[in-house]
Amino acid sequence: MADQAEWSTNANEAVNISFIQAGQTSPVTLSTFHPRFTYPIFGEEECIFGYQGLKVNIRFAAHNLLPNASISYDKQFKAVDDTQALDIEQTLREWMPEVSFQQTSAFESQVQEDASAKDWKPPGELTESYTSRGRKFEIWSAELSDPAVQQLIDHIQILVSFFIEGGTPIPLDDQDWSLARWKVFFIYEKFGFLPSPKTSPYSLVGYSTTYTFITHQASPAPSTPSKPQTFNLPPTAPFSLSTLPSRARISQFLILPSHQSHSHGTHLYNTLVRTFLSSPQISEITVEDPNEAFDDLRDYCDYARLTANGTFAQIHLAKALPSTLFQKRIGVRVPTSQLLDLPLLHNLRRKNKIAPRQFARLVEMYLLSLLPLATRQSGTARLTQRARSQNESDRQWYYWRLLVKQRVYKKNRDVLMQLERVERVEKVEETVGEQVGDYERLLRRIGERGKERKKKKGKAEDERKGGKMGWEKDEEIGGGEGRTEVMDVDGDGGGGGQRRERGKRKVIMDDEEELEGTPEPKKVKDGGR
């Protein structure tokens, strides 16, 4: 039997993804990069058997995302009994639409000669426009029930499996009323200079899918009995689900590798949030299975928004508590309501439409930032007097740790109660220490981003006064090859770029806990939200 290694190819290296547009005489490539994952398509080992010199080229028209898959190789393994080369085209057919498998020459001709491309626009409505590094970008949004949006998603969905770990394609054969629950946001770069009269000015940068689900809102009991109401099913007149109270959930979020680290993720996330904040029907914004990079991006954007809109300025941690709450006997609890103004927090959270657990983390991070750095770096060394300390910062450091311990314990109560008391205390302390480290990392990153933005703002002002266009030498159309580290999102939040062992990524918890309530302990794990 042939040597397995001799005929095996790393699928991540063999697959090349490119975006092209019409050029002067033939299509030109704007960007090329490799996938981050291929195990959903080619198996857990991410290897393709049966070829030498294998190249799998997957190309998209940059504007309408028309796909094309082509396969080339130097040698193919000749079948021996049941051992044979993988049928790559047949494998890809399960993940790409039929139009992807036309001849390469026909695909290139279609891209180059499409006279309608110059007038093409993304479907839906223009939601946001911005400029970055002298280049113009637009964010468009539309419901998935729009056939034009369905076509774009059908063309590009294989990228979900290539770049979002655990991501799955959206079924597009659902009923219209169900598809209308989905809203898709596309980021496109809009070029000013075009190499051909038939070239589209639009090139995809990234996109996000979101959906809403109806929520039950309990109403106060009426003072007088209400009259029975009659409902006809199916309804006699059509109605939109968007008119019903609901929660919004961000499902898929992808910035193409060639456009990462340019703050497009920040622009896209903030646009999603602004859209949902403006909708009176949306009561809360959640995220489905975020990875670490998206967690950081979300933390940064939410933290910046709550700082700018004055939310944080209204939140204060207690400076002193009744001494009876700190008697040295087992069983004495310090209610969260003694540490924070819970009715105020509830109202602020609802106003900002942030999920309870995420809001609790942001509040903790903000309150930590108010403590002197020396106090935070002391760990537990300054807590010998606990609430009886004469130093206000030390007392608040103690109260802050109580707050986090409550959240950690409450979330993990069932697991922790199976441990002996000493071990239980150690686990909670360990988790709080890890949480402090993560918050400090995020606060440093937030501070660095703030400095970077001020610097860029000053540079842009200097360029404007000097009459420069703001283009750098390496800022050619398309943004380069993008073969540096590839992440699911653009890394705006910092960190998260390292690939984690599968199955160990953070997940959004459906049982997010309210900050209000009695001791909110948590953690033998924390961090997901």
Side-chain angles (χ1 to χ4, degrees):
M1 182 175 174
D3 182 7
Q4 183 84 9
E6 181 183 359
W7 292 96
S8 294
T9 304
N10 184 305
N12 294 345
E13 297 176 357
V15 175
N16 291 281
I17 303 166
S18 303
F19 283 76
I20 68 173
Q21 68 173 187
Q24 292 184 353
T25 57
S26 62
V28 294
T29 299
L30 301 180
S31 61
T32 300
F33 44 86
H34 295 295
R36 182 164 175 76
F37 312 110
T38 53
Y39 66 87
I41 300 171
F42 296 111
E44 192 68 22
E45 298 301 320
E46 298 185 321
C47 284
I48 300 174
F49 176 77
Y51 303 90
Q52 293 181 358
L54 176 65
K55 292 184 179 180
V56 180
N57 295 313
I58 298 177
R59 297 193 291 173
F60 299 92
H63 64 297
N64 64 9
L65 310 182
L66 178 69
N68 179 256
S70 61
I71 303 160
S72 62
Y73 49 84
D74 297 332
K75 293 182 180 180
Q76 182 176 3
F77 178 74
K78 294 182 180 180
V80 177
D81 298 329
D82 293 335
T83 304
Q84 55 186 351
L86 176 70
D87 188 335
I88 300 174
E89 180 175 320
Q90 186 59 40
T91 300
L92 291 176
R93 283 181 180 275
E94 299 179 16
W95 300 86
M96 301 181 71
E98 184 64 29
V99 69
S100 308
F101 301 97
Q102 63 177 318
Q103 292 294 321
T104 299
S105 57
F107 166 72
E108 292 180 347
S109 176
Q110 191 170 349
V111 172
Q112 183 65 26
E113 302 301 329
D114 183 7
S116 64
K118 61 182 176 59
D119 299 318
W120 186 91
K121 288 185 177 181
E125 62 177 355
L126 177 60
T127 306
E128 186 78 19
S129 298
Y130 63 94
T131 301
S132 176
R133 306 189 183 193
R135 298 159 68 169
K136 296 181 179 180
F137 299 89
E138 297 178 350
I139 299 179
W140 293 71
S141 63
E143 291 183 351
L144 190 54
S145 55
D146 183 338
V149 178
Q150 292 182 38
Q151 185 178 64
L152 290 178
I153 293 298
D154 188 39
H155 287 171
I156 204 70
Q157 282 210 101
I158 193 172
L159 294 189
V160 171
S161 299
F162 280 152
F163 292 104
I164 301 179
E165 188 168 8
T168 56
I170 299 173
L172 298 176
D173 55 357
D174 211 341
Q175 300 182 49
D176 285 346
W177 69 265
S178 182
L179 292 175
R181 296 186 309 125
W182 290 84
K183 195 176 187 69
V184 186
F185 295 76
F186 296 98
I187 303 183
Y188 274 90
E189 179 172 6
K190 188 174 184 180
F191 300 134
F193 169 78
L194 301 176
S196 164
K198 297 180 180 179
T199 302
S200 169
Y202 287 99
S203 175
L204 184 72
V205 171
Y207 75 99
S208 179
T209 60
T210 68
Y211 64 93
T212 58
F213 48 96
I214 300 171
T215 56
H216 170 70
Q217 294 183 334
S219 301
S223 56
T224 57
S226 58
K227 296 180 180 180
Q229 291 180 297
T230 301
F231 295 92
N232 296 316
L233 295 176
T236 55
F239 72 96
S240 172
L241 290 176
S242 62
T243 62
L244 301 176
S246 57
R247 300 168 76 197
R249 176 157 290 184
I250 300 172
S251 179
Q252 300 163 337
F253 193 99
L254 174 66
I255 302 297
L256 299 181
S258 52
H259 291 280
Q260 290 173 6
S261 299
H262 291 180
S263 295
H264 298 301
T266 298
H267 284 286
L268 181 56
Y269 178 81
N270 286 336
T271 298
L272 266 61
V273 171
R274 281 194 294 270
T275 299
F276 296 136
L277 285 176
S278 66
S279 171
Q281 285 73 38
I282 300 296
S283 62
E284 191 172 281
I285 305 167
T286 62
V287 181
E288 180 181 347
D289 284 353
N291 68 357
E292 289 178 350
F294 188 88
D295 277 341
D296 285 356
L297 173 66
R298 181 188 185 195
D299 286 341
Y300 170 76
C301 292
D302 288 350
Y303 193 96
R305 185 172 65 260
L306 296 187
T307 300
N309 67 16
T311 296
F312 281 152
Q314 303 177 58
I315 301 173
H316 305 281
L317 184 65
K319 296 181 179 180
L321 296 179
S323 59
T324 54
L325 293 175
F326 300 96
Q327 298 172 4
K328 287 189 174 181
R329 58 186 175 87
I330 297 175
V332 175
R333 293 185 176 184
V334 180
T336 308
S337 59
Q338 294 286 332
L339 300 172
L340 293 168
D341 184 341
L342 294 186
L344 172 66
L345 289 180
H346 176 77
N347 292 333
L348 292 175
R349 184 187 71 79
R350 294 291 297 270
K351 179 181 179 181
N352 288 283
K353 300 185 180 182
I354 298 178
R357 181 159 149 61
Q358 170 70 357
F359 188 72
R361 295 182 70 263
L362 293 167
V363 169
E364 290 170 2
M365 199 185 318
Y366 167 70
L367 294 175
L368 179 65
S369 73
L370 299 180
L371 297 173
L373 184 59
T375 300
R376 286 144 47 186
Q377 292 178 338
S378 67
T380 59
R382 301 172 68 109
L383 300 181
T384 55
Q385 296 299 313
R386 301 186 180 185
R388 293 180 294 277
S389 174
Q390 297 302 308
N391 185 295
E392 183 179 294
S393 297
D394 289 351
R395 288 199 306 273
Q396 288 199 302
W397 175 225
Y398 174 65
Y399 299 155
W400 185 89
R401 290 177 63 86
L402 280 180
L403 184 69
V404 180
K405 286 178 182 180
Q406 288 176 359
R407 183 174 64 81
V408 169
Y409 179 75
K410 186 176 181 180
K411 181 174 178 58
N412 297 278
R413 181 185 179 90
D414 292 342
V415 175
L416 289 169
M417 291 307 294
Q418 300 176 30
L419 306 177
E420 295 293 332
R421 184 175 182 278
V422 173
E423 187 178 1
R424 189 161 64 235
V425 171
E426 290 177 350
K427 287 292 185 183
V428 173
E429 286 285 355
E430 177 185 345
T431 300
V432 171
E434 292 173 353
Q435 189 68 81
V436 171
D438 192 46
Y439 286 163
E440 294 286 11
R441 176 184 64 82
L442 290 167
L443 289 171
R444 285 194 300 272
R445 183 58 180 150
I446 289 170
E448 292 169 359
R449 287 293 301 276
K451 292 178 181 178
E452 290 172 4
R453 289 191 177 278
K454 287 182 180 179
K455 185 177 180 180
K456 289 179 180 178
K457 185 177 180 180
K459 182 179 179 181
E461 182 66 16
D462 292 341
E463 290 177 345
R464 185 186 66 79
K465 292 178 179 179
K468 296 182 181 179
M469 296 298 294
W471 287 79
E472 300 293 340
K473 182 178 180 180
D474 58 348
E475 290 277 5
E476 297 176 359
I477 292 178
E481 299 248 325
R483 285 187 178 145
T484 53
E485 176 110 24
V486 177
M487 296 183 290
D488 298 358
V489 295
D490 69 340
D492 286 336
Q498 298 298 322
R499 177 174 178 178
R500 287 166 290 153
E501 187 176 345
R502 292 187 197 121
K504 292 188 178 180
R505 66 181 185 280
K506 296 181 181 179
V507 297
I508 182 78
M509 305 302 296
D510 290 329
D511 58 341
E512 291 172 315
E513 304 289 357
E514 289 283 347
L515 186 60
E516 47 259 68
T518 47
E520 181 215 355
K522 80 171 61 189
K523 186 158 192 190
V524 186
K525 50 182 186 177
D526 187 64
R529 41 219 185 271

